[in-house]
Amino acid sequence: MKNEIVIKSIANNRVRLKSDIFALNSNLEKIEKEFEEIFTSFRKNISCKSIIFTYSLNVTLDEIIDKMNNIFNISLSIPASNALCENQSCNNCNIKKHDEKSWKRKVFEFILLSGYATYIFISENILGLTIAATPLSLVGIVSIVAAIPLLKESYEDIKQKKFTLHTFMSGTLILAILFGEATAAFEIIYILRGGMLLEEYIANKSREEIQGLVELDIKKVYVLVDGVEIETNVEDIKHGDIVVSRSGEKIPVDGVIQEGSAEINEALINGRSEPDFKEVGNEVFAGTVCERGRIYIKVTALGYDTYISRTMREVEFSLLQKSPSEVEADRLANKLLKLGTLLTVGTLFLTGSFTAAFSTMIVMSCPCATVLAASTAISGGISNGAKQGILIKGGEALELVGKSEVFCFDKTGTLTTGKPIISDILLFSDISEDELISYAAMAEYRNSHPIATSIVKNAKDRGIDINQDVLSEIIPGFGVKSKIDGKRLLIGNKALLSKYKVSVKEYKNEISTHLNNGKTVVLVALDEKILGFLSFTHEVRPGTKEMIENLRDRGVKHIALLTGDEVKVANSFALDFGFDSVFANQSPEGKADAIKELKRKYEKVVMVGDGVNDTFAMSKADVAISFAAGGSEAAIAVSDIAITHSHPEDVVNLYDLSKKSLNVVNQNYYIGTGTNLIGVALSAVGRLTPVGAGLIHIGHTVGIMANSSRLAIDNNS
């Protein structure tokens, strides 16, 4: 693949490329620098020689490829649409789907192995019996059968002309069986099978948590056929079909509205409690809810191709990417393999004892504990996060959170909710605030819109007796129309009043001032006269101030607010909540520049956002965190971590989880490396038998897995 770039997948403006040039850090750094202003996100996978990036819509992929050609003098080929490596045995890329039958078989096999391991232990250590350990003995045959999964992986490595941990261990285990040490070999194989089972269990639990967040649970839908709505199974829907969705129903597909309009709750996608008004030509997504209205949707994606399913696969794929600790563990394990070979030969040369040399070989040929030290801790941390609604796309992001000195926050939608509260009441006629609220509450009483709910709640809090017999017509996207004592009552936005020829020109400045300050304005008009308006802001998420204080108490050096709000509004908010710096009135590019500025001063920067306007800044941060599964499709594509519940305290929980995971990794290193060194020393002086070497593996491997399991099961991480 030299001097060639392979396009592995293209989805909108998100691309995955593969080439030998992506195997060098220097080349990746050059790409990141040259395309800094073009890429809105950039990820690399050196082991797979690939990069994944999203790019600005004002350039084309051809222009990007041409620029790469000028930098590296490459040629281009476009093979199959497979998004993963063409090498199906690549463990780094091949996402292994959990198979229930296969899982049950593996568990059953491990139970049988556990029973046999118990039999050996009781026979040798309690009954004092001697168990034959020759190649053709029962334990020898069981060991060979139990080692088949490991031997398969070794075979794949050999085919690729790679000398890896599996290759070395397989050779050692076969030698152990051939030289009459089948019992020791069985013990090591038993440990490895248990470790593989544990890792698969943890990974599957993470996937189940993610799957539960996006499960549609829709079996039947209505499809429009020749003007007639026909009930159809979801699996029978095809691209181009017209699906009907009504009030209260969950939308089963991605598509474009062909007819009708509705208020759509897209909290799963954007985290906002206030529904969005959608009409003909607007896009809707599977998993969102049609709260009010009826729409006819032309299917553009369904099943595994929907946005929410693609998001889940992105998380699953990212889970396979190794973190810095896991990469370091692999590097250390490879060094131990080389050291083990030297120590084995050295022990044999110095002592002349094959048994001592063999014990050394068993100890050093199985640095599985070193590998498990990082992988089980990181997997446990990711699993724990998923249980809390924190989706962590890989170990690197989890590790970097705890190493970051700066946390940056967007304001609107991130630190504030979509729940509106009345902040101001302006009167334009000779009525009181209570009278204005009373008019609005009567009209909105049966409306489930969040703004209507807020108005009714405010009226009840004031002790206002609401007339519940008033009939109102809800006009989606505009407001409500009602009648009071024969007079027309309008409650809604400027467009609603314009629709009914009510002039707002006299109060244009007052309305604009509030709108420019990021507030929502609801006008109240009786016949042709505007009585006043209600101004709404979104409430600050509970726990925001405590989150900032807790991060600072934990050692975070700098906490910044990045917002598009005006300077006065931003400064007031920052002062109230204790931010160290404010970047106000910022465009998306301005937020990204702020991230770059902070990265020059501090070690590792985290950006927390929720919307499209945050994605550029998120792509420049060391760790990008999105609230409520990203807040937007663009935000979740860029984010490394998605906090689905949008609770500020989850940012602190994530920081604590990161720190605890790193601590467990270090503890595991001490357990694994320390016991290995003790084992080598004992075997070198003839104080350790091959069976004893196997017992050392049992001790430190079980210790490491037990230590890491605290992360997976601890709800207070």
Side-chain angles (χ1 to χ4, degrees), residues 368-435:
C368 50
T370 305
V371 176
L372 289 173
S375 63
T376 56
I378 297 303
S379 295
I382 291 173
S383 177
N384 186 291
K387 285 197 297 184
Q388 299 181 61
I390 303 171
L391 305 185
I392 304 168
K393 300 183 184 180
E396 182 174 11
L398 175 62
E399 289 189 27
L400 289 179
V401 169
K403 297 177 180 178
S404 297
E405 295 183 341
V406 179
F407 275 67
C408 301
F409 293 89
D410 165 59
K411 180 193 166 196
T412 305
T414 303
L415 298 180
T416 61
T417 70
K419 184 178 179 180
I421 56 175
I422 298 175
S423 60
D424 303 282
I425 301 175
L426 270 73
L427 304 174
F428 300 142
S429 63
D430 189 22
I431 63 171
S432 67
E433 289 187 358
D434 281 4
E435 287 177 295

Side-chain angles (χ1 to χ4, degrees), residues 76 109 151 179 192 197 246 292 462 545 608 630 688:
L76 174 68
E109 290 173 357
L151 295 173
F179 282 98
L192 290 174
L197 205 62
R246 302 175 181 80
R292 188 181 297 277
R462 290 169 175 261
K545 194 165 190 174
V608 185
L688 187 68

Side-chain angles (χ1 to χ4, degrees), residues 429-476:
S429 63
D430 189 22
I431 63 171
S432 67
E433 289 187 358
D434 281 4
E435 287 177 295
L436 186 73
I437 293 288
S438 178
Y439 276 123
M442 282 188 284
E444 298 278 21
Y445 189 78
R446 287 183 172 79
N447 189 357
S448 61
H449 193 284
I451 284 181
T453 302
S454 179
I455 291 172
V456 173
K457 181 179 183 302
N458 188 281
K460 289 180 178 179
D461 290 344
R462 290 169 175 261
I464 297 172
D465 186 19
I466 304 172
N467 182 356
Q468 302 177 16
D469 297 327
V470 174
L471 298 178
S472 299
E473 177 189 354
I474 298 170
I475 306 172

Side-chain angles (χ1 to χ4, degrees), residues 22 43 65 93 146 152 167 192 223 311 378 384 397 414 449 526 554 556 570 576 615 639 662 669 676 710:
F22 305 143
R43 295 177 124 182
I65 296 297
C93 289
K152 283 182 178 179
T167 312
L192 290 174
V223 176
T311 296
I378 297 303
N384 186 291
T414 303
H449 193 284
L526 195 61
R554 282 159 171 75
V556 175
D576 288 342
T615 55
S639 66
L662 291 170
Y669 277 149
N676 268 346
R710 293 187 299 115

